[in-house]
Amino acid sequence: MKELIRFYEQLDRKLFIDGTKEFADMNSALHIECGQTTPTPTTVMFMTKMLELDKSCKVLEIGTGSGYNAAFLAEFSKELFTVEIIPKLMEKARNRLQRLGYTNIRYKTGDGGEGWPEYAPYDRIVVTASAEHEPVNLLEQLKPKGILISPAHNETGRQDLVMYCKDGKKIETYRIRGVRFVPMTRK
C-alpha cells in the first residue's frame, strides 16, 4: 500500500491531460478528448488497490482513455494489455506511456467489451466505463482466482463499482460503492 500511495503522489496527472491542466491536481474526474473522461485520482488508486496486483499479474484494461489508469496498472503488474475503442485516444495514451518508459504494455484499438481473447486468461481485469450488463465475455477471459473490477448500473439506474471474484466456475459479486463513469462504447 505504501508503494501505491508513493506512486499516486509522484505521478503527475498533467502528463495525461491535453486541456484543463489547471484542474489536473484536483481529485475530480476530468473531461478528455472525444467525449470521454478520466476518473478521479483516488478512484484510480482505490481500483488499483482492490486488484491486489503484484509483479506476477497479467492484467487486461478495458478503456485506456488518457493512459493515467494504465500507468498505475503497468507500474504494479508484470504485463498490461490495454484496449481502447477510440484510435485517437489510444495513440495519445501509447505515446504518453512510452515517453514515461513503460515497456510492459500491449496496446489494442478495438471493442473492449470483447476483451482480448488471444492473450487470455488474465489474472486481473479492470473496466473503466460503465456497462449495462454483467461482463460475461470478460469473465470468461479471467483466470480462476482472478479479480475483475467494473462500474455497473444498479437497480436505481445509478452506478456501483463491482468486484467479481472467480472461484473455479463460480463468480462471487460484490458491490463496493457508488461511482460515475462514462458508458462503454461498443462497435
Side-chain angles (χ1 to χ4, degrees):
M1 180 66 174
K2 288 179 186 178
E3 295 87 16
L4 180 59
I5 292 170
R6 189 172 17 257
F7 184 74
Y8 166 80
E9 291 171 345
Q10 291 174 353
L11 186 62
D12 186 356
R13 192 160 78 143
K14 289 179 182 138
L15 299 172
F16 299 88
I17 307 294
D18 287 332
T20 63
K21 286 188 185 286
E22 64 271 19
F23 302 113
D25 291 334
M26 297 175 64
N27 187 38
S28 60
L30 295 177
H31 291 280
I32 58 175
E33 296 170 306
C34 306
Q36 300 300 299
T37 62
T38 185
T40 70
T42 55
T43 298
V44 171
M45 187 171 72
F46 181 74
M47 290 171 70
T48 303
K49 180 181 181 288
M50 287 181 58
L51 288 169
E52 301 175 4
L53 297 175
D54 61 46
K55 287 297 187 176
S56 70
C57 287
K58 181 170 141 185
V59 180
L60 174 64
E61 175 189 41
I62 304 302
T64 314
S66 70
Y68 181 72
N69 192 66
F72 278 80
L73 299 172
E75 185 72 20
F76 296 102
S77 66
K78 178 180 181 182
E79 195 170 19
L80 172 63
F81 296 77
T82 185
V83 181
E84 172 59 55
I85 197 165
I86 303 170
K88 182 178 182 179
L89 290 180
M90 177 54 83
E91 187 60 32
K92 287 188 167 210
R94 177 187 288 129
N95 290 338
R96 290 173 179 134
L97 292 160
Q98 287 175 344
R99 274 194 308 268
L100 288 171
Y102 289 102
T103 58
N104 62 335
I105 305 175
R106 293 183 189 228
Y107 305 88
K108 178 181 178 180
T109 301
D111 184 344
E114 299 300 318
W116 200 343
E118 299 91 300
Y119 293 100
Y122 301 96
D123 299 294
R124 306 288 186 263
I125 300 175
V126 62
V127 181
T128 61
S130 67
E132 298 269 331
H133 307 286
E134 185 175 85
V136 176
N137 288 339
L138 301 177
L139 288 166
E140 289 173 358
Q141 295 175 41
L142 191 62
K143 282 183 181 179
K145 305 292 183 191
I147 298 171
L148 185 151
I149 296 175
S150 176
H153 293 279
N154 62 31
E155 60 282 346
T156 68
R158 295 196 170 132
Q159 297 174 16
D160 292 324
L161 191 59
V162 178
M163 181 168 70
Y164 302 89
C165 298
K166 192 172 192 178
D167 186 13
K169 294 186 182 207
K170 185 177 175 191
I171 305 289
E172 297 287 336
T173 304
Y174 306 94
R175 291 195 174 268
I176 307 300
R177 69 177 194 190
V179 291
R180 242 173 104 190
F181 283 78
V182 294
M184 182 180 284
T185 304
R186 301 288 312 262
K187 283 190 176 177

